[in-house]
Amino acid sequence: VMLFALVLPGRLFLLSIPLAVGALEALDRVNQLKISALSLPITFVDVRTVIADPAVFVNAVGIRDELNRIVSIAFGVVVFVLLASAFYKLRGYSFLDHLKLSRSRGKTRTRSSSFVLNVVALVVVLNAAQTCLVRYGRFVHAHITAKATNLGLELWLPSSQVILSQELGVLEYMAFSFAANNAADISLEHGLGPTVKELRLAAAAFVNSSVHRPKALLPNIVFFHAESTFDPAVAFRLSAHVELPLWSKQGETRALSPLRVNVIGGGSWVTEFEVLTGVDSRIFGYQGFYTHFDIAPKVKNSFVEYLVRKGYKTAAFYPVEGSFYNTEKAFRSYGFREFIDGRALRLPADWESLIDRDIIKAVIDHGAFKRAGPFFYFVGTSQNHGPHHCRSFESEQQFLTTFAAKVSFEQNCELNEYLKRATSTSDAFELVLYQLRQIESLTGRPFVLLVYGDHQPWSFTKGIYSVAGGTAARQGFKDFSGVRTSADGYQTFFHLLASDRTVVRNRFTKPPPASLLPTLVSAF
């Protein structure tokens, strides 16, 4: 109320009450929209993310052009109102004051003093509001955890968060989520860990660490992040397996296996964190879903830093803006010395327009593979992110494969839409592999190429996707459970290729976790 009273002309201060009520009602409506779409209320992380990069919200809603116009108009109106209010308060109620030069000095000083007081009052109110909300959030967090010992686990379930946000209010819940995230300590105390001897024995079952020659050239290493990619022949019963190079054995293949990830339908950043640090995100509980925000600043060591100490040049090539979900700051916390985002690569700003083979061509044109090694690159793709609407096929004769059961045309069509995009991802993979082979043939420097799927797309999980505290489901997605194999929705794949054929000595009998991958690569 005080905020509106300070902005409005003095004689209209009573309007501050209905405006404040209206603003809170609008916030509540937005909160309900987010709950209906994502099963979670608005949190402090959401606000911080959108303020840092509004394009995140625009791309998520999927109405970039329309929303850009709306936001531009709304922003213009707000700026105009604020400027008009400031001018009005500074110049007085009557434009005639400007013409009465004989009395203008005294009145100008009075108006200027009044304007300065209003600005000071506005700053005080904003600071007081922030302080009060922070203290309120800490108070609620302290009392909830003190009065109910089991509520800490139940609280972070999506349904519990929704209830709490409705009971507290939108602003109060955002304050609570801020306090809860900052108050939670990251602890790795899970009993006695394995001894160094036990770790060496476990590693020896899969790698031969005694084969390296002291003077051998260190290999170039590339992590190829295959967005929303999995081998459908492992997850589903199909009429025929589509043998894309991406998930088929090549001459340099050293391991090709299903992979266990901790997210489903979304949450790429969780898998990114795990393959760059070797740490399972579940250790951190609720915070483990916000790895790029909450965990990244506390990372002191990682696979990236391990390679930096060995003399590697490190760079991450990301297909979207580096500000998305705090990605650039997080990757630098993980140890990358360079971060090249979609804007620097001159890729389309609209996520739906990204083509994986074009992403890799942009990375090549950027000169990534012309640098002297050894280098370690993280290369992200984007094209297979869901949904996979049926758009490219008109008849079953055009399909590469179908489900080995009676399903609708649309379901088979969505499968083939996925495979069409996966073909682009596979082409992108082959482009990277070709560059590494060329470098080896010219310089003798070997290579290691790790390809992994970060999660299954929600198009094939009945709309189920990961959120903080569990999973949620989006309506309107088809049910593929009737054609699934025993592999659940948390299985993707990884493909490890390397020049050195003597390092990996065994096959995986069950899907390893994503957090094992950097350890496996380190053996090279």
Side-chain angles (χ1 to χ4, degrees):
V1 171
M2 284 190 288
L3 277 174
F4 283 109
L6 286 167
V7 172
L8 290 170
R11 61 186 177 185
L12 300 177
F13 78 96
L14 287 177
L15 282 177
S16 59
I17 297 174
L19 284 173
V21 172
L24 290 173
E25 180 65 22
L27 276 175
D28 185 63
R29 291 291 180 89
V30 173
N31 192 46
Q32 291 302 321
L33 282 173
K34 194 204 168 188
I35 291 170
S36 64
L38 298 174
S39 302
L40 283 172
I42 298 173
T43 66
F44 178 75
V45 172
D46 297 326
V47 177
R48 184 169 56 180
T49 303
V50 173
I51 290 175
D53 183 12
V56 171
F57 176 71
V58 174
N59 277 306
V61 174
I63 49 173
R64 169 179 286 272
D65 295 334
E66 295 86 344
L67 202 60
N68 275 344
R69 284 194 292 270
I70 294 171
V71 170
S72 298
I73 293 170
F75 181 76
V77 170
V78 169
V79 170
F80 175 78
V81 170
L82 289 174
L83 289 175
S85 174
F87 179 80
Y88 186 83
K89 287 179 174 291
L90 182 63
R91 304 300 294 175
Y93 293 104
S94 175
F95 183 72
L96 293 175
D97 287 343
H98 180 70
L99 303 175
K100 297 178 181 179
L101 299 177
S102 60
R103 295 187 291 176
S104 63
R105 291 185 179 179
K107 288 196 173 185
T108 300
R109 279 196 293 269
T110 303
R111 301 302 182 191
S112 299
S113 301
S114 176
F115 177 72
V116 170
L117 285 173
N118 278 342
V119 171
V120 171
L122 190 63
V123 171
V124 170
V125 169
L126 287 172
N127 280 312
Q130 178 184 341
T131 302
C132 289
L133 280 172
V134 169
R135 290 188 178 184
Y136 177 85
R138 290 172 181 165
F139 174 83
V140 173
H141 178 260
H143 281 71
I144 282 181
T145 53
K147 290 185 178 180
T149 54
N150 65 337
L151 193 58
L153 293 175
E154 295 177 0
L155 178 64
W156 294 119
L157 294 174
S159 57
S160 300
Q161 293 181 65
V162 170
I163 293 170
L164 187 63
S165 74
Q166 292 170 342
E167 289 181 353
L168 296 181
V170 182
L171 292 174
E172 290 84 352
Y173 178 78
M174 281 193 284
F176 168 77
S177 65
F178 168 79
N181 274 350
N182 283 295
D185 292 326
I186 292 178
S187 173
L188 299 179
E189 295 178 5
H190 292 270
L192 295 174
T195 64
V196 173
K197 182 179 179 180
E198 289 171 331
L199 288 170
R200 284 177 176 164
L201 287 173
F206 293 95
V207 299
N208 184 0
S209 60
S210 62
V211 298
H212 290 289
R213 297 176 298 279
K215 295 182 180 179
L217 287 173
L218 290 170
N220 290 324
I221 302 173
V222 175
F223 277 14
F224 186 101
H225 175 102
E227 169 65 37
S228 301
T229 305
F230 67 109
D231 185 349
V234 176
F236 299 112
R237 292 179 285 112
L238 303 180
S239 61
H241 184 203
V242 178
E243 296 283 349
L244 292 179
L246 185 68
W247 52 61
S248 302
K249 282 189 176 181
Q250 306 296 308
E252 297 92 346
T253 297
R254 304 296 168 239
L256 178 60
S257 165
L259 180 71
R260 177 77 183 184
V261 294
N262 284 325
V263 284
I264 183 172
S268 304
W269 50 88
V270 172
T271 310
E272 290 171 358
F273 166 82
E274 292 181 337
V275 300
L276 293 174
T277 64
V279 179
D280 194 300
S281 63
R282 293 173 297 178
I283 288 174
F284 308 110
Y286 175 82
Q287 287 179 302
F289 187 73
Y290 297 114
T291 49
H292 283 3
F293 275 108
D294 294 335
I295 314 300
K298 300 177 175 66
V299 170
K300 302 300 180 187
N301 198 12
S302 69
F303 181 60
V304 192
E305 287 290 353
Y306 165 77
L307 293 177
V308 168
R309 292 195 296 271
K310 287 184 172 292
Y312 275 78
K313 299 169 184 175
T314 60
F317 297 89
Y318 215 72
V320 299
E321 298 89 345
S323 56
F324 169 67
Y325 228 77
N326 206 45
T327 302
E328 180 173 357
K329 290 181 179 178
F331 271 61
R332 292 191 182 278
S333 295
Y334 302 144
F336 283 99
R337 299 306 190 256
E338 287 187 75
F339 187 93
I340 300 93
D341 68 0
R343 186 174 299 175
L345 293 172
R346 298 182 179 179
L347 295 172
D350 182 10
W351 298 347
E352 291 187 2
S353 301
L354 291 169
I355 307 296
D356 284 351
R357 64 173 69 88
D358 292 342
I359 293 171
I360 301 306
K361 287 177 182 177
V363 172
I364 294 171
D365 291 342
H366 195 77
F369 297 100
K370 293 180 180 178
R371 304 178 184 182
F375 57 70
F376 170 56
Y377 294 156
F378 175 97
V379 180
T381 62
S382 177
Q383 190 175 355
N384 236 324
H385 197 288
H388 295 80
H389 298 305
C390 184
R391 294 171 178 168
S392 307
F393 303 91
E394 296 179 356
S395 68
E396 293 185 359
Q397 285 69 36
Q398 296 175 297
F399 292 158
L400 292 172
T401 189
T402 57
F403 291 108
K406 188 173 178 59
V407 298
S408 67
F409 174 84
E410 286 74 18
Q411 285 177 295
N412 277 322
C413 185
E414 289 190 9
L415 170 65
N416 281 270
E417 290 284 357
Y418 167 81
L419 288 169
K420 181 182 178 182
R421 298 190 206 175
T423 302
S424 173
T425 310
S426 187
D427 291 346
F429 152 74
E430 289 191 283
L431 285 171
V432 173
L433 180 58
Y434 174 79
Q435 293 294 322
L436 294 172
R437 284 170 173 168
Q438 284 290 102
I439 293 173
E440 183 175 24
S441 67
L442 293 172
T443 67
R445 188 177 294 281
F447 68 85
V448 179
L449 173 58
L450 172 69
V451 186
Y452 69 89
D454 60 334
H455 58 76
Q456 289 191 22
W458 64 350
S459 305
F460 301 99
T461 63
K462 202 178 177 181
I464 294 173
Y465 59 95
S466 293
V467 296
T471 59
R474 183 76 177 269
Q475 299 302 313
F477 286 90
K478 294 175 178 61
D479 185 1
F480 293 88
S481 58
V483 290
R484 274 200 172 272
T485 64
S486 58
D488 64 17
Y490 288 89
Q491 279 193 30
T492 60
F493 82 105
F494 83 94
H495 191 175
L496 179 64
L497 303 96
S499 309
D500 193 335
R501 65 179 65 251
T502 66
V503 176
V504 178
R505 62 168 19 150
N506 209 341
R507 293 196 304 171
F508 293 95
T509 56
K510 60 181 181 179
S515 54
L516 179 71
L517 295 180
T519 301
L520 184 62
V521 172
S522 73
F524 289 87

